[in-house]
Amino acid sequence: MANTVENSKPFPTLISILRSPDIPPFATVKPGEVFKVQCVDWTGGQIGNNDNSDDVRDVDLTRVHNLSGPVAVEGAQPGDCLVVDILDVQPFEKMPWGFTGIFELENGGGLFAKEFQSRAAKAIWDFEGIYASSRHVPGVRFAGIPHPGLIGTAPSQELLNTWNKRETGLIAELGANSVPPVAYPPEPRGAYVGQDGILDEVREKIHREGARTIPGREHGGNCDIKNLSRGSRCYFPVFIEGANLSVGDLHFSQGDGEMSFCGAIEMAGVITFKTSIIKGGVEKFALKQPIFVPSPIDPVYSQKLVFEGIGVDLHGDGKQYNMDATVAYKQAALNAMAYLQKLGYNLLLSAVPIESHVGAVVDSPNACVTIGIPTEIFDQDILPKPEGLEKRDYGQCAIRSDGIV
């Protein structure tokens, strides 16, 4: 499936996996114009609708993320604020499915890769209207909140240089051989900009200097905010003429935190936009990073089972951390995982619409973070009972063909 931008008629194909001010706009739209952007999944179609995880094990991460764009907005100038209204996000009609993956420790990893020495696994989810269910995670059905995991403007050359300097500095400080990596520096291998007509020396510069899209940054990027679904509004700082908006990594659903690196329900699909410009918006709003107004449309769940985590590694060596919200989040997630395993569930938290909140970051030494799981998505009552929890056999997710888990 090609990535295209559509307004009155489809434009030619364009896929890019880098952020650089040197990538020319693929199309230009006027403020107020409604336009559609087609997106492949973030891996570029490397993951198939099948029942083993060899494709997750073997995925080439030098070829991600696959983005559509850039789309220039007429009249946008550095220092302006680009207002982007997300009017709709839908899977392709002929591809009503998506996937959730656990990646190998040595190839992608994830938040719990070291704790579990993770090996490739996945679940395929089928879409029926607004609902998702999976043959690999039976007993669960829920409404999705389709959204872009990655959306943002292009950096200036100065900002790109800042990114590369600080991230390569972090690699130098913490070690280039960390598993999973601490950061992803520019990497010509696998780099791709799908436009003809770019001079060879410019293309080489883009491949050599272009920022990889794994982390979110000042321009937006891969922030995986699950509530940026239809009806959302985004306020992006503009760093170059035209702003050069790109988008990709569409999700059908995701829990707060997307804890397994590829934890959302990844999909290919179409996103519909309308843009406007606020002149001088960076100064007017002190816009160091994007501002968002989430969608007013959200599945409503009347009850959640909430798990608490604090800054102590209670699932590991018991180490006390000082005001570390990441440790607290991980502990809340591990508490929830241990509970769900008592019921027979696996590969679940990152894909379903869990909500995470910071409870407190003022009471030294423990930050407190919570994770709430909607109880209505399950086909059984998951609340604590005097007699304990009923564990059912839900089978297992798709694993490697060699049986290694």
Side-chain angles (χ1 to χ4, degrees), residues 79-213:
D80 293 345
C81 172
L82 181 68
V83 183
V84 179
D85 290 313
I86 299 175
L87 304 183
D88 201 10
V89 188
Q90 295 291 336
F92 286 122
E93 185 176 348
K94 294 184 178 180
M95 294 180 66
W97 64 274
F99 64 91
T100 300
I102 292 176
F103 277 55
E104 300 274 323
L105 172 62
E106 298 84 6
N107 190 30
L111 186 62
F112 298 102
K114 290 184 177 179
E115 284 85 347
F116 296 125
Q117 295 295 300
S118 65
R119 293 290 174 256
K122 75 179 181 187
I124 299 298
W125 298 85
D126 296 307
F127 309 147
E128 186 175 21
I130 65 171
Y131 291 100
S133 60
S134 173
R135 63 185 181 270
H136 298 126
V137 190
V140 176
R141 182 174 183 263
F142 53 89
I145 316 173
H147 62 277
L150 198 160
I151 180 173
T153 54
S156 64
Q157 185 65 51
E158 180 182 12
L159 182 57
L160 176 61
N161 293 343
T162 296
W163 293 350
N164 289 340
K165 180 179 179 180
R166 74 188 184 201
E167 291 174 22
T168 55
L170 184 67
I171 294 170
E173 177 186 348
L174 299 180
N177 298 318
S178 297
V179 179
V182 298
Y184 296 83
E187 170 57 73
R189 182 169 54 95
Y192 181 73
V193 179
Q195 293 193 59
D196 297 325
I198 301 177
L199 295 175
D200 288 344
E201 56 265 32
V202 175
R203 190 181 299 274
E204 290 173 4
K205 180 176 183 289
I206 294 169
H207 289 185
R208 184 176 64 251
E209 297 179 358
R212 288 294 174 153
T213 57

Side-chain angles (χ1 to χ4, degrees), residues 31 73-83 235-243 276-287:
V73 179
E74 192 173 293
Q77 295 292 331
D80 293 345
C81 172
L82 181 68
V83 183
Y235 299 85
F236 292 109
V238 176
F239 301 102
I240 66 171
E241 182 178 355
S276 59
I277 299 166
I278 299 175
K279 304 304 292 183
V282 168
E283 175 63 27
K284 289 176 180 177
F285 311 134
L287 201 60

Side-chain angles (χ1 to χ4, degrees), residues 121-368:
K122 75 179 181 187
I124 299 298
W125 298 85
D126 296 307
F127 309 147
E128 186 175 21
I130 65 171
Y131 291 100
S133 60
S134 173
R135 63 185 181 270
H136 298 126
V137 190
V140 176
R141 182 174 183 263
F142 53 89
I145 316 173
H147 62 277
L150 198 160
I151 180 173
T153 54
S156 64
Q157 185 65 51
E158 180 182 12
L159 182 57
L160 176 61
N161 293 343
T162 296
W163 293 350
N164 289 340
K165 180 179 179 180
R166 74 188 184 201
E167 291 174 22
T168 55
L170 184 67
I171 294 170
E173 177 186 348
L174 299 180
N177 298 318
S178 297
V179 179
V182 298
Y184 296 83
E187 170 57 73
R189 182 169 54 95
Y192 181 73
V193 179
Q195 293 193 59
D196 297 325
I198 301 177
L199 295 175
D200 288 344
E201 56 265 32
V202 175
R203 190 181 299 274
E204 290 173 4
K205 180 176 183 289
I206 294 169
H207 289 185
R208 184 176 64 251
E209 297 179 358
R212 288 294 174 153
T213 57
I214 299 299
R217 300 181 178 96
E218 291 92 326
H219 70 305
N222 191 32
C223 294
D224 293 316
I225 300 171
K226 70 177 177 65
N227 300 100
L228 289 185
S229 54
R230 59 187 178 128
S232 299
R233 174 168 285 185
C234 312
Y235 299 85
F236 292 109
V238 176
F239 301 102
I240 66 171
E241 182 178 355
N244 282 12
L245 178 72
S246 294
V247 65
D249 188 26
L250 300 188
H251 301 161
F252 189 81
S253 179
Q254 180 198 299
D256 284 336
E258 199 190 15
M259 60 189 70
S260 70
F261 186 69
C262 178
I265 300 180
E266 310 285 347
M267 72 175 193
V270 182
I271 183 167
T272 306
F273 291 122
K274 184 173 73 172
T275 65
S276 59
I277 299 166
I278 299 175
K279 304 304 292 183
V282 168
E283 175 63 27
K284 289 176 180 177
F285 311 134
L287 201 60
K288 293 289 188 183
Q289 292 177 251
I291 299 171
F292 305 103
V293 178
S295 170
I297 301 172
D298 232 0
V300 177
Y301 297 102
S302 60
Q303 184 184 70
K304 294 182 178 68
L305 189 59
V306 177
F307 296 84
E308 178 189 81
I310 59 173
V312 180
D313 188 7
L314 296 175
H315 289 266
D317 60 8
K319 180 180 177 179
Q320 173 74 63
Y321 290 81
N322 181 37
M323 304 307 293
D324 194 321
T326 300
V327 171
Y329 175 87
K330 292 178 71 172
Q331 295 304 302
L334 289 167
N335 290 337
M337 289 179 198
Y339 187 93
L340 291 173
Q341 286 171 356
K342 293 282 188 180
L343 294 159
Y345 294 107
N346 289 290
L347 196 66
L348 183 63
L349 280 184
S350 59
V352 303
I354 64 168
E355 290 190 355
S356 180
H357 298 283
V358 176
V361 287
V362 295
D363 302 316
S364 298
N366 285 332
C368 176

